[in-house]
Amino acid sequence: MEIIILGTGCAKCKSTFEVVQSVVTESQVDAQVSKEEDILEIVKYNIMSLPAVVVDGEVKIKGYVPTKEEVLKVIKE
């Protein structure tokens, strides 16, 4: 599984990355978590609000810092 956190490096984007990383670690999900901060790459996902969480190429969460429960639900789908 590939998880990408889209964001420009703001506090919310960093928090989102930390939440997702901790959920992946705690739940022992086999996933690669990365950040994408290049605005030209971010616009390819056709979203207008950051941060966003992309799981296997599909935007699952956008516009806010998700809770651990929300992230776990999204990666278990």
Side-chain angles (χ1 to χ4, degrees):
M1 174 182 300
E2 180 184 28
I3 303 172
I4 305 169
I5 310 306
L6 304 178
T8 56
C10 68
K12 287 183 180 181
C13 299
K14 291 176 183 176
S15 294
T16 300
F17 180 82
E18 290 168 10
V19 169
V20 171
Q21 186 67 57
S22 68
V23 169
V24 167
T25 302
E26 291 169 11
S27 62
Q28 299 178 341
V29 172
D30 183 22
Q32 295 233 200
V33 182
S34 62
K35 290 189 283 186
E36 180 59 70
E37 295 182 352
D38 182 355
I39 197 69
L40 296 177
E41 289 298 316
I42 292 171
V43 297
K44 291 179 182 177
Y45 289 92
N46 198 27
I47 57 170
M48 299 301 291
S49 54
L50 297 173
V53 179
V54 178
V55 179
D56 291 333
E58 185 178 340
V59 178
K60 297 287 189 173
I61 299 170
K62 60 184 173 186
Y64 63 96
V65 178
T67 64
K68 286 186 173 187
E69 291 78 20
E70 288 174 305
V71 172
L72 188 58
K73 181 180 175 187
V74 165
I75 62 176
K76 293 289 185 176
E77 289 180 341

